[in-house]
Amino acid sequence: RPSVRTLTSTVSTVKQTLDTVLPSQLQCNLFPIAFRNAYSAVSVGDTDGSYFNQLQLLNTGQDMQAKTPAANLHVTTAPRENRDECEAGNEPYAPGQAIGTPAGTQSNTTDTTSPPSAARARGRSAGYIGSTP
């Protein structure tokens, strides 16, 4: 009985997480884009190295703590990601300070991702995926 109670609690917790994350993933394609962008940070760059290795301070007034936010700070700490809007990455830019969720409804589409062309064939040959696409 204790095992069943523990399993029930675990499944309930996972269900709550999936109920929150699944609509965001299905509409906004969050995880593949996050992984693609993380990979790009360490693999894409210029003659000075990858962008991940560079430290760029675009506004030196924002590199230390301050008692007030910068006059041109833009941050959305909890973007809306659901069937109606994919706010992260679709926020409008306006001069001045923008802290919090932007007004209105943003686009509900993002980039479409797909595996590299040889990935499906390699997965099939390794037995990880079936023969249907």
Side-chain angles (χ1 to χ4, degrees):
R1 289 183 184 192
S3 297
V4 171
R5 278 195 291 269
T6 302
L7 179 61
T8 302
S9 174
T10 301
V11 169
S12 176
T13 302
V14 170
K15 182 184 180 323
Q16 291 172 359
T17 302
L18 289 176
D19 287 346
T20 302
V21 172
L22 191 60
S24 301
Q25 175 55 37
L26 291 175
Q27 184 66 40
C28 302
N29 197 25
L30 298 177
F31 295 111
I33 291 173
F35 289 126
R36 180 202 62 196
N37 291 349
Y39 172 77
S40 294
V42 297
S43 65
V44 177
D46 58 20
T47 56
D48 293 325
S50 70
Y51 294 132
F52 186 75
N53 292 329
Q54 295 181 16
L55 176 62
Q56 298 176 0
L57 296 176
L58 301 176
N59 184 343
T60 56
Q62 295 180 22
D63 60 346
M64 300 295 283
Q65 288 184 334
K67 62 182 177 179
T68 58
N72 60 353
L73 176 66
H74 286 75
V75 63
T76 304
T77 56
R80 292 184 206 120
E81 303 291 337
N82 55 41
R83 190 173 306 263
D84 299 324
E85 88 184 296
C86 299
E87 201 165 71
N90 288 321
E91 302 100 324
Y93 180 83
Q97 192 180 77
I99 300 174
T101 303
T105 302
Q106 314 316 312
S107 173
N108 71 343
T109 60
T110 59
D111 292 345
T112 301
T113 58
S114 61
S117 58
R120 289 189 197 278
R122 293 170 101 185
R124 278 189 206 94
S125 68
Y128 291 126
I129 58 176
S131 60
T132 57

